[in-house]
Amino acid sequence: MSQPPPPPNQPPQQPGFGPPQEPSEPQTPPAPATPPTPPAQPPQQPPAGPDLNKAPQPQPGYGYPQAPGTPPPAAPPTPPQGPGYGYPQQQPAGYGYPAQQPGPYGQPGPYGQPQQPGPYGQQPPYGYAQPTVPMQAQAGQPGGGRKVNAQVAIIVSAVVAIALIVGGGVWYANSSGKADDKQTTAEGGDTKGGEGDGKEGGSGDGGATTGEAEEKAPAATGSKVLFQVPSPKVPKGVTTISIAGSWLTDSVYAKSGLSEITGYDRKSGTKKWTLDLPGPVCAATPHVTEDDKTAIVHKPAMPSKTDPQACTEVAVVDLAAGSKVWTKTAKSGTMPVSFNNVTIGGGTVAAGSTSGGAAWDLATGDERWAPKTSDSCYDAGYGGGAKLVAVRKCGSYDQRQLHIQNVDPKTGDVLAEYKMDEGIEYAAVVSTDPLVVAADVGDSAGDGSGISDFFSIDNKTGKLRARLSAPGDEFAARCDAIYKVENCTGVTVGNDRLYIATEEHDSGGDSYSQTNEVVAFDLATGKQTGQRADAGENYEIFPLRMDGPDVIAYKRPPYDKGGQVVSIDGESFKETILMENPSTEAVRDVESRMSPDYSEIQFGQGGLYMSSVYASDFTSREKEYSVIAFGTE
């Protein structure tokens, strides 16, 4: 997957998280060792990029061929002991990892393949703490080197994931390691405003396209920093804790903290309300109802070194009032269920786990269904929004079959079902209407993205409409199909098309500059439409969501500029700039740590809100922020 470049004059960092594994029982992390240091030489020219006009390969088999010409590493590195310098603030999965339930069969995750090393100078995934070194623009400075060293990242991430599972989603340290609390506030910016609908969900929250586009370009697109929220300090002895969840309404931007959710005024950042919780938020749905309700999973108490706590509490939150509507739990037999994900669809709140799924009436909290111990299959998770779709797992690990089910949200009855080929262990729901599912077939993506193919499914008949090949070395979307089910980034759905970011590649010429594009696939045929929106030199573009027939996208900037939000016309693919952020060093320093792959990004009504999904005490910086908000006037 593509990663952001390091700021100039800073050393390369250690790699970051990868998707977690699903062990049958808690395991002790392997013995320590130091990961290899990237070679100290300039980057080689990056690849030319994907063929943006080719048709997808029909029904590809297991194991896509890897890109030729890159020699394998001399020897695989051994995993490190635990978090050290530069441990990340967040974890790659958008809405934050909960305390994961161990898998029933002790199966390994699909992301363990050795990968090719990346070029020198890459920046690790979001949230990595770095030395505070001035980011001075340098003439002729190349903007490339964003590709992460996949081999090191995946091996290290496996150890990190196991440690998180052992700790119930929290990594414990032997010492508190408090960070300096000195201020380094990001200030500066320009002006002028826009309008839009803040009700939209987060990345990958696509669906059937209705209505007209609401986000309009303001008279002046330059933004200013509206407010920032400092990262919360984690409890003594706890190094990393989930702060998953952020939502946007017409008047409030709400964000999870260590054991609370706070509603901020969208423009001033003034606290409008705080909802105290007994423990951290493990998982959250991006969906918000018309009357400003959303759903979360949280722990019943704050974790400690001796008791990490499980993610057993499912709650509905009123984002207008700043209050809980109800809280429920479920059991599998006599054991409380620890949920991995939660969503809203058709007036139902549904949560999935390796113990099965449960659902409740959104308004009353009345139970609609619960796990049955007699079931030979279980609902691993659900996709919500326009419809409710279950990802149901059947069979043992080596003979797994996934059933993608459009279910009646009131009864759980299966309305239509598509059975994926055996051997596909995980699938993510990108959209429920039209129904689009992503999967890594045969673990062939090769980049930790969780995607090698998309499946366009008729949600009335359960028949496959088209299969879209999206090799990991060509496309930059990412899904956390292991636990989050509907958490995907770099992709959205609308107009009966799938809009996806390509991988970064050489932008042409003799420079080391890189770029990428957003391209479209027809969900009826599985073929590319030929539409293409370019990021521009040294920018990297990520689709966030639909706005009527148009695509809202964020452009991650070069080291010396601010990011942009653009609207892409659904037919002409003409780009309109809606916002351009300040290029001052202090602002860039905060924005650059909010990677679209591993952070929560909300945009609406001329406001851009970027936030972390993890808080940590592993930092070399004087000040860290969990939220930065930009706005035009």
Side-chain angles (χ1 to χ4, degrees), residues 8-311:
N9 304 322
Q10 296 195 20
Q13 307 296 311
Q14 295 180 6
F17 281 120
Q21 308 288 323
E22 198 175 358
S24 59
E25 60 185 33
Q27 302 174 13
T28 303
T34 303
T37 303
Q41 66 231 17
Q44 299 179 357
Q45 281 282 9
D51 180 354
L52 301 176
N53 296 309
K54 75 175 186 179
Q57 301 171 3
Q59 300 288 339
Y62 283 47
Y64 288 106
Q66 303 298 314
T70 305
T78 51
Q81 179 175 0
Y85 170 78
Y87 184 79
Q89 299 274 359
Q90 302 98 344
Q91 178 151 339
Y95 284 90
Y97 282 13
Q100 290 93 346
Q101 271 292 91
Y105 303 109
Q107 61 261 36
Y111 304 131
Q113 283 75 25
Q115 306 299 319
Q116 306 303 327
Y120 174 81
Q122 63 235 21
Q123 179 166 332
Y126 69 95
Y128 254 83
Q130 301 182 20
T132 305
V133 178
M135 299 173 64
Q136 299 176 1
Q138 298 181 9
Q141 178 93 13
R146 296 186 186 181
K147 193 79 173 179
V148 73
N149 186 321
Q151 181 187 25
V152 177
I154 288 174
I155 292 175
V156 173
S157 70
V159 182
V160 172
I162 291 171
L164 284 171
I165 293 169
V166 171
V170 180
W171 195 330
Y172 298 98
N174 292 327
S175 60
S176 60
K178 293 183 178 178
D180 193 341
D181 199 28
K182 201 172 177 181
Q183 291 277 350
T184 55
T185 303
E187 298 175 341
D190 298 319
T191 53
K192 304 315 185 246
E195 301 176 358
D197 180 8
K199 294 281 185 162
E200 307 293 345
S203 302
D205 189 34
T209 302
T210 57
E212 297 180 357
E214 297 186 356
E215 303 292 352
K216 308 298 182 184
T221 57
S223 73
K224 66 179 181 180
V225 176
L226 299 177
F227 62 91
Q228 298 172 100
V229 178
S231 293
K233 290 187 176 182
V234 298
K236 184 177 181 180
V238 178
T239 64
T240 303
I241 198 165
S242 169
I243 52 171
S246 63
W247 305 269
L248 200 56
T249 74
D250 290 336
S251 59
V252 170
Y253 171 74
K255 173 61 186 171
S256 296
L258 288 186
S259 58
E260 74 280 331
I261 300 174
T262 302
Y264 300 93
D265 181 274
R266 288 182 52 140
K267 293 185 177 180
S268 67
T270 302
K271 289 185 181 181
K272 301 186 75 169
W273 50 260
T274 297
L275 172 60
D276 292 326
L277 301 170
V281 174
C282 306
T285 179
H287 301 294
V288 178
T289 65
E290 288 297 321
D291 59 349
D292 295 338
K293 304 296 194 305
T294 193
I296 62 172
V297 176
H298 66 85
K299 296 187 176 186
M302 286 300 291
S304 66
K305 191 171 183 178
T306 57
D307 187 359
Q309 298 291 325
C311 298

Side-chain angles (χ1 to χ4, degrees), residues 269-629:
T270 302
K271 289 185 181 181
K272 301 186 75 169
W273 50 260
T274 297
L275 172 60
D276 292 326
L277 301 170
V281 174
C282 306
T285 179
H287 301 294
V288 178
T289 65
E290 288 297 321
D291 59 349
D292 295 338
K293 304 296 194 305
T294 193
I296 62 172
V297 176
H298 66 85
K299 296 187 176 186
M302 286 300 291
S304 66
K305 191 171 183 178
T306 57
D307 187 359
Q309 298 291 325
C311 298
T312 56
E313 315 297 300
V314 178
V316 166
V317 175
D318 186 330
L319 297 172
S323 61
K324 266 191 186 182
V325 179
W326 51 256
T327 302
K328 299 293 180 179
T329 60
K331 290 184 178 180
S332 178
T334 60
M335 297 297 294
V337 176
S338 184
F339 292 103
N340 300 320
N341 55 77
V342 66
T343 194
I344 295 175
T348 292
V349 175
S353 75
T354 55
S355 298
W360 301 266
D361 182 276
L362 173 62
T364 65
D366 293 341
E367 184 179 282
R368 289 187 165 167
W369 64 83
K372 296 181 178 65
T373 55
S374 59
D375 284 352
S376 58
C377 304
Y378 66 93
D379 289 357
Y382 301 91
K387 297 184 181 297
L388 188 63
V389 172
V391 176
R392 190 163 177 82
K393 290 192 174 186
C394 298
S396 60
Y397 170 70
D398 57 349
Q399 292 182 313
R400 179 80 74 209
Q401 186 173 44
L402 301 183
H403 298 195
I404 309 302
Q405 299 176 334
N406 180 18
V407 301
D408 184 316
K410 290 183 171 55
T411 64
D413 293 340
V414 178
L415 303 177
E417 180 179 73
Y418 172 71
K419 295 181 180 179
M420 305 189 78
D421 292 342
E422 284 191 10
I424 300 176
E425 180 66 18
Y426 305 101
V429 179
V430 182
S431 168
T432 60
D433 187 21
L435 179 52
V436 180
V437 172
D440 187 358
V441 180
D443 301 342
S444 59
D447 61 349
S449 66
I451 306 171
S452 67
D453 296 82
F454 292 93
F455 297 79
S456 173
I457 301 166
D458 188 312
N459 56 21
K460 293 182 179 179
T461 66
K463 293 182 179 180
L464 182 68
R465 299 176 66 200
R467 179 170 169 178
L468 293 62
S469 175
D473 61 348
E474 295 185 17
F475 296 95
R478 176 185 292 271
C479 290
D480 175 19
I482 297 180
Y483 290 113
K484 292 296 177 263
V485 177
E486 67 173 354
N487 178 42
C488 296
T489 60
V491 62
T492 192
V493 172
N495 305 319
D496 207 33
R497 294 169 186 165
L498 181 139
Y499 301 96
I500 183 172
T502 68
E503 280 285 5
E504 280 190 299
H505 56 83
D506 183 5
S507 60
D510 298 329
S511 71
Y512 288 101
S513 64
Q514 291 188 308
T515 190
N516 79 323
E517 301 80 24
V518 170
V519 297
F521 283 86
D522 188 305
L523 291 175
T525 66
K527 297 180 180 180
Q528 287 193 36
T529 64
Q531 296 165 306
R532 162 177 167 170
D534 295 318
E537 186 173 352
N538 280 331
Y539 283 90
E540 187 177 8
I541 190 169
F542 294 82
L544 297 177
R545 63 170 176 86
M546 299 302 297
D547 175 31
D550 299 341
V551 179
I552 301 297
Y554 172 73
K555 287 187 177 182
R556 189 171 176 86
Y559 72 93
D560 58 346
K561 295 181 180 179
Q564 295 179 350
V565 177
V566 298
S567 176
I568 303 170
D569 185 279
E571 291 301 325
S572 68
F573 257 47
K574 177 183 177 181
E575 295 181 43
T576 300
I577 295 178
L578 303 178
M579 173 182 289
E580 185 161 14
N581 294 336
S583 60
T584 58
E585 178 184 328
V587 174
R588 296 194 322 261
D589 193 37
V590 179
E591 183 180 4
S592 67
R593 283 163 173 79
M594 302 293 183
S595 163
D597 272 336
Y598 311 123
S599 302
E600 298 168 348
I601 300 180
Q602 308 277 357
F603 178 82
Q605 300 180 13
L608 174 67
Y609 305 83
M610 310 177 75
S611 65
S612 306
V613 295
Y614 263 78
S616 170
D617 71 349
F618 279 90
T619 177
S620 62
R621 294 169 46 75
E622 294 176 332
K623 194 74 173 179
E624 294 284 353
Y625 295 95
S626 63
V627 175
I628 185 168

